[in-house]
Structures are given as C-alpha cells and as structure tokens.
Amino acid sequence: QKEVEQNSGPLSVPEGAIASLNCTYSDRGSQSFFWYRQYSGKSPELIMFIYSNGDKEDGRFTAQLNKASQYVSLLIRDSQPSDSATYLCAVNTNTNAGKSTFGDGTTLTVKP
Amino acid sequence: DGGITQSPKYLFRKEGQNVTLSCEQNLNHDAMYWYRQDPGQGLRLIYYSQIVNDFQKGDIAEGYSVSREKKESFPLTVTSAQKNPTAFYLCASSIVDTQYFGPGTRLTVL
C-alpha cells in the first residue's frame, strides 16, 4: 500500500461543474496536508494547505480533511479549462519539517 | 524577487558522463530537496538537506550525489552510475512544513 494514494484519473468535468479530487494516506500521525497543481511540463505550485479537520476555503478551492478516515480532498467549484492540470496531494508527519510524501497525482481535464 | 532558480532548463548527457544540476534559493529557507519525476509519475525524493553541511538520502539516492556548502545552494550531480537518468528534476525548499518548487531541469541522455 502506498503511503499517499490518489485516483490516477483522468478526471473529466464540464466547464462550470465541481471537480472533486481525493487523497488517502496511511500514516495516522500525519499532521499537515497540501495540494499542488502541476501544469504539463511545469513544476508544482502550491494551491492550499490544511491542518485541522473540516473545510478550508480559498476562492473557488475548498480543501476538506477527515483525520479519522485518513482522507483529504480538494473541491474546485466553477471549474474552468485553465484548471486542467495534474493535482498532487502531499502529506507531512512533522509540522516542524518540510519533508513530505507525495501522491502520484490526479489529472483533471475541464471541457469547455 | 524571492524564489528558487534551477539551471539549466534543459540538459543533454552522453552515457558515462557526470552532470551537475544547479539549484539556488534566496528565500532564506533552511531545508532543500531534490525530486525526480518520470512521465506520468509522481515525485520521488532523491536527497534532502535540513541544514548546511548536512543531507540525507531519499528513496532513490543511488547514482546521485549532493552537497550543501551554502544555505542558498543545493547542487545535484547525476553520476554515470545512474543507469536511467532521463527525467524531469525538481528542486524545492521549505519554510517549516511547506515546500516550494523551482522550475525544474529536464535531463535527457543521448
């Protein structure tokens, strides 16, 4: 079992829909959780981070964390073609250090 | 502007050659990381350094070497012992627990 698992996709949604990206992790001691977006041929860029159970919203993006279920998700509302990218989930077991474990990513395509 | 720079953007290597990839940051971050990404795959950790003059092997360190003589710099050498080095190499640095990435170097073996 991988430490951080994501649906490989590809995930395809129509423009304006909600895209839901999921991530599960195996280490119950995990403390911080990150979502990165990676466009084809480019490096990952940080979208959001979340530490506490519940929802965290930033514009069209909402991160959801459920530590009991070891599950973190990213919702993208009003999806745009420019959201088409690979989304990487990263998990960190130590909030005082930056060494994270990354999932393999989910590729999202938003169709006009 | 603060950020992470990597050079070169593209690098071609002949078999049997060692090559060095540069990574520099002016963010005053203590920790730095090197990852390898193969097409359609996730990130695999090669080496990381949490402080100057100290570094640790990641999951796939064989065939690679690093140094951390300055806080700002963390160069990666891909040695001839790395049998399949063609990949996208990403450098990152972190403040506390959040990593930020450089633009990457795409290495191709001819």
Side-chain angles (χ1 to χ4, degrees):
Chain A
Q1 182 188 10
K2 290 185 177 180
E3 293 181 54
V4 178
E5 294 206 47
Q6 298 182 247
N7 294 335
S8 60
L11 174 65
S12 181
V13 300
E15 184 174 356
I18 296 175
S20 178
L21 304 161
N22 304 318
C23 175
T24 57
Y25 59 94
S26 60
D27 188 342
R28 285 197 169 273
S30 299
Q31 298 291 325
S32 45
F33 307 85
F34 306 86
W35 283 101
Y36 290 84
R37 176 176 62 200
Q38 186 177 23
Y39 291 114
S40 181
K42 303 295 185 182
S43 63
E45 55 179 321
L46 181 68
I47 300 175
M48 292 189 71
F49 55 86
I50 186 168
Y51 297 126
S52 304
N53 280 328
D55 294 358
K56 180 181 179 182
E57 187 174 318
D58 184 0
R60 296 187 296 112
F61 299 96
T62 299
Q64 299 176 318
L65 176 61
N66 184 325
K67 289 186 178 181
S69 299
Q70 295 175 244
Y71 176 94
V72 58
S73 66
L74 179 70
L75 300 179
I76 306 174
R77 291 182 300 281
D78 187 23
S79 295
Q80 301 297 309
S82 59
D83 295 326
S84 298
T86 296
Y87 290 81
L88 301 170
C89 172
V91 174
N92 192 321
T93 56
N94 184 344
T95 54
N96 291 319
K99 183 173 177 289
S100 300
T101 301
F102 285 80
D104 287 342
T106 297
T107 299
L108 171 67
T109 300
V110 180
K111 295 186 175 181
Chain B
D1 287 337
I4 304 170
T5 58
Q6 292 185 243
S7 62
K9 186 173 181 179
Y10 298 97
L11 184 58
F12 298 91
R13 190 194 93 167
K14 294 181 180 179
E15 287 195 19
Q17 277 185 337
N18 292 353
V19 292
T20 298
L21 283 59
S22 170
C23 177
E24 304 275 335
Q25 56 99 359
N26 61 4
L27 300 168
N28 201 33
H29 289 174
D30 286 321
M32 298 185 73
Y33 311 81
W34 275 105
Y35 294 91
R36 168 181 173 142
Q37 188 175 38
D38 292 286
Q41 303 295 314
L43 306 180
R44 291 189 289 169
L45 183 64
I46 304 172
Y47 270 98
Y48 66 102
S49 168
Q50 294 182 310
I51 198 168
V52 174
N53 292 322
D54 188 41
F55 49 83
Q56 287 80 40
K57 293 182 179 180
D59 301 319
I60 56 164
E62 185 174 351
Y64 300 97
S65 65
V66 294
S67 62
R68 187 84 188 279
E69 297 176 1
K70 299 187 300 181
K71 187 175 185 177
E72 303 79 17
S73 178
F74 191 40
L76 173 74
T77 296
V78 184
T79 75
S80 57
Q82 172 48 242
K83 296 306 178 187
N84 186 22
T86 294
F88 188 41
Y89 289 86
L90 290 159
C91 177
S93 67
S94 69
I95 181 73
V96 191
D97 61 350
T98 305
Q99 290 191 29
Y100 299 90
F101 287 85
T105 292
R106 198 165 297 277
L107 173 63
T108 302
V109 172
L110 301 175

